[in-house]
Amino acid sequence: MQKEDLRIVFMGTPEFAVPTLKAMLDGGYHVVAVVTQPDKPVGRHGSVLQPSAVKQFSLEHGLPVLQPVKMKDPAFVEQLRSFQANLQVVVAFRMLPEVVWDMPAYGTFNVHAALLPQYRGAAPINWAIINGEQQTGVSTFFLDHDIDTGRVIMQKPFPIPFDADVEYVYDGLMQLGADICIETLERIIAADGSPVSIPQTELMTAGEVLKPAPKLFKENCRIDWSAGAEQVRNFVRGLSPVPGAWTILVGPDGRETPLKLYRTHVVSGDSAGAVAGTILSVSRNTMAVVAGQGTLLAIDELQLAGKKRMRAADFLNGMKEIENYFLR
């Protein structure tokens, strides 16, 4: 098979998918159409429609763009079939029905931001950091009936530095995802459409426990101060800068204000039996908060609701008697 024999439909929505699509075009691959989410209402009244990053890039490069509301819509399915693609590539999109993923002769493969079978789900980058992993990576796999369970074609690891947050890992995996996509395409060409792929069960070690990567909502981004300080630190950097780990700052008068944390570090010290969430001590630049098991976490960067992100030192300059507040 030659590169020219591939007719590819690309499916993706956010910025994360754009470098992969760009790499395919730069590499001379024939992308016959792009499928992305419908434009999203933005603005105060939702009166402005914002196209996805993938749509904007695609239109700039003259690619046909399809934006189905429902993937099983017969009109969309027929329109998709009219492009006569023999391969589909998916990056950060949505779950596809069988009528779509099974359409091309060479199948549909996904670029997933984790080393499968670990971290199946919508937010693999965040959860790998939240769980304190020192390594993640990207995988390509063929889609099947269940989410993120198909046969793996390739994997590439990516180290997670101790202080890395989501932004750092996101940027690294975004570029690594583009690289692995091109290498996967090369394998498909070399194998005449049937590259070697491995069941995910063969990638597991005996007794290995799978860690999921569920979608993030406001509710599961709230800090649990009963967890140890290192766990809270990982939780914060796993959600920094977006969507942001949050807590509630409770004042001496009982007034509650949402507070997001962006950067923290573990410190040593005596919690003196204080309950989790207690603001125990204040230095010139940071404040220490009691976490689970009497551990202490220093806050370096934060953001009060309605305010800008700031250093803890600047926050403390504007607060009086911070020791009389607590977090919950």
Side-chain angles (χ1 to χ4, degrees), residues 8-157:
I8 303 171
V9 166
F10 181 85
M11 300 184 181
T13 295
E15 176 195 22
F16 187 89
V18 172
T20 301
L21 178 55
K22 181 179 186 300
M24 292 168 64
L25 297 181
D26 290 348
Y29 288 93
H30 188 193
V31 178
V32 296
V34 171
V35 182
T36 191
Q37 294 278 51
D39 294 358
K40 183 178 180 180
V42 295
R44 188 170 183 178
H45 302 291
S47 58
V48 178
L49 294 179
Q50 176 69 40
S52 70
V54 164
K55 179 181 179 179
Q56 294 181 58
F57 178 86
S58 299
L59 294 179
E60 290 169 1
H61 291 79
L63 299 174
V65 175
L66 285 63
Q67 296 180 275
V69 175
K70 296 181 179 179
M71 299 297 291
K72 291 184 179 180
D73 182 348
F76 163 69
V77 172
E78 287 307 309
Q79 185 181 19
L80 183 63
R81 187 174 283 115
S82 71
F83 286 98
Q84 300 180 332
N86 49 22
L87 179 69
Q88 292 176 156
V89 177
V90 180
V91 184
F93 191 47
R94 57 192 285 189
M95 187 175 180
L96 304 181
E98 183 175 359
V99 68
V100 172
W101 60 256
D102 195 42
M103 186 182 297
Y106 302 141
T108 300
F109 78 80
N110 181 280
V111 178
H112 186 73
L115 297 176
L116 293 170
Q118 292 292 354
Y119 297 105
R120 295 169 176 162
I125 302 175
N126 304 88
W127 287 104
I129 300 172
I130 288 171
N131 288 334
E133 304 287 2
Q134 297 180 12
Q135 177 177 267
T136 184
V138 289
S139 305
T140 52
F141 68 96
F142 285 116
L143 268 62
D144 63 11
H145 293 90
D146 298 315
I147 298 176
D148 300 336
T149 60
R151 296 174 65 94
V152 170
I153 310 166
M154 289 188 66
Q155 294 189 318
K156 284 182 175 290

Side-chain angles (χ1 to χ4, degrees), residues 27 94 99 103 107 127 148 188 205 240 248 260 270 294 319:
R94 57 192 285 189
V99 68
M103 186 182 297
W127 287 104
D148 300 336
I188 290 173
T205 58
S240 178
I248 296 291
K260 284 189 175 183
D270 183 7
M319 296 290 292

Side-chain angles (χ1 to χ4, degrees), residues 218-224 235 239 245-248 328:
K218 182 178 180 180
E219 292 74 18
N220 60 0
C221 291
R222 184 170 184 172
I223 296 168
D224 175 10
F235 190 78
L239 298 171
W246 65 278
T247 186
I248 296 291
R328 67 166 182 83

Side-chain angles (χ1 to χ4, degrees), residues 302-322:
L302 48 75
Q303 182 180 22
L304 275 172
K307 304 292 183 179
K308 294 181 180 180
R309 177 174 171 173
M310 66 183 76
R311 295 179 306 144
D314 297 325
F315 170 78
L316 292 172
N317 285 337
M319 296 290 292
K320 295 181 179 179
E321 300 180 342
I322 190 64

